Amino acid sequence: MMIFKGRNRVTSGFRLAARPEHNGIDLVGDDDKTVHAVAGGTVGFAGIVSKSAGGLTWQWGYYVRIDGNDGRKYYYCHLAAGSLRVRAGQRVQAGTALGTMGNTGYSFGAHTHFEVRNAYGTAIDPAGYAGVRNAVGTYTDTESEDDNMKFLKVTSGKCEVFTAPDVNAVDKSYNGGKLIEGTCYPVQAEVGSSGGYSWVRIFVAGVQRYAAVLADRCQLVTLSPGDAFAACVAQGGDTAELEKQLEVANARADEANKRLANIKAYVAGV
């Protein structure tokens, strides 16, 4: 899940050299200004803190804090005045609209400052949670642009699996960090590109992980409805949409067969 539908542009990263004390990432929605929750939980705060209250929280302007089901806290800041769509105590899920990207608080230009903090209150790199890389650039939520489900087809045992779009995040807990050759993994979204290859978010054994698309070890493919359904079931993915596609494809094939049979009957009777 990404914060904005369509293109998510990172304008400032988490503790990069230019801003080593920046505890979040700044994102601009180029196609959609609505801010969406990237994880489910309970709204811990939704509003604005006055500068006179002391502290630095006023710098966030209007913001929403989600106390995540995973024990982490998610902050969506600089929202537009009057745009908040949730209230404290409300339960939300990934994808819930929280408000609109804005320029409130200590902000220079409309954007959303996004932070993630662990159970101890320590800021952690939020990029992976937002489906982007911790680097300035534009990343795309393909779920909002493409209704055809894609799959990552693994063609070499060298293809690695990651916990985040980062070359240092190899997931050794799954098959020693390797994706299985000959397997097709459902792609949830393409989350960016670097060095001539793309990062994709995939489902591996029912868990969200990442992979780099490298020509010598994997490729993006669109499968037939039947093959897509089989691959999705094998990975524990959501098959509801695939079932609909398969039903439509079968109905179309049945209709074509009926038309062919009618033509044959007509020709035979002439």
Side-chain angles (χ1 to χ4, degrees):
M1 183 70 209
M2 301 182 84
I3 289 179
F4 300 104
K5 293 182 179 179
R7 292 173 296 168
N8 289 241
R9 178 160 46 93
V10 175
T11 58
S12 182
F14 173 77
R15 296 179 180 173
L16 298 180
R19 299 179 69 188
E21 297 182 358
H22 190 224
N23 288 328
I25 55 174
D26 292 343
L27 291 150
V28 174
D30 284 334
D31 301 314
D32 176 43
K33 310 306 180 186
T34 301
V35 174
H36 299 86
V38 298
T42 303
V43 178
F45 181 87
I48 190 170
V49 176
S50 171
K51 187 175 182 179
S52 62
L56 298 177
T57 307
W58 68 270
Q59 295 184 356
W60 287 342
Y62 284 92
Y63 75 97
V64 173
R65 187 191 82 226
I66 303 297
D67 298 336
N69 297 327
D70 57 4
R72 298 180 178 87
K73 295 184 186 300
Y74 299 82
Y75 298 80
Y76 306 81
C77 310
H78 304 313
L79 303 182
S83 74
L84 300 190
R85 302 189 188 182
V86 295
R87 63 186 183 280
Q90 180 179 337
R91 296 283 300 169
V92 300
Q93 59 187 358
T96 297
L98 305 178
T100 303
M101 178 183 76
N103 191 32
T104 59
Y106 190 66
S107 171
F108 300 92
H111 71 285
T112 291
H113 172 86
F114 175 60
E115 283 192 21
V116 179
R117 298 187 183 184
N118 63 22
Y120 302 101
T122 302
I124 57 179
D125 184 353
Y129 298 93
V132 299
R133 295 183 61 216
N134 187 29
V136 173
T138 300
Y139 308 89
T140 305
D141 177 5
T142 57
E143 290 176 286
S144 62
E145 299 177 347
D146 191 353
D147 292 331
N148 295 319
M149 191 168 187
K150 294 181 181 179
F151 291 79
L152 183 72
K153 183 177 182 180
V154 178
T155 57
S156 168
K158 295 187 296 181
C159 191
E160 294 180 307
V161 60
F162 303 84
T163 58
D166 186 328
V167 294
N168 298 312
V170 176
D171 186 2
K172 296 293 185 182
S173 65
Y174 175 79
N175 193 38
K178 304 292 184 182
L179 292 173
I180 300 173
E181 185 175 351
T183 300
C184 291
Y185 297 91
V187 172
Q188 185 181 13
E190 294 182 53
V191 297
S193 60
S194 176
Y197 56 84
S198 300
W199 283 98
V200 293
R201 187 163 67 238
I202 59 177
F203 283 109
V204 180
V207 178
Q208 180 178 288
R209 293 184 173 90
Y210 298 84
V213 182
L214 298 168
D216 65 335
R217 57 199 68 183
C218 59
Q219 58 183 313
L220 287 174
V221 299
T222 300
L223 302 179
S224 66
D227 289 341
F229 183 80
C232 200
V233 169
Q235 294 304 320
D238 182 4
T239 62
E241 184 59 33
L242 287 171
E243 288 177 350
K244 292 179 183 179
Q245 292 180 21
L246 187 58
E247 183 178 349
V248 170
N250 287 338
R252 190 181 301 117
D254 289 342
E255 184 62 29
N257 288 336
K258 288 179 182 179
R259 287 200 300 270
L260 181 60
N262 289 338
I263 291 172
K264 287 181 177 179
Y266 173 77
V267 171
V270 173

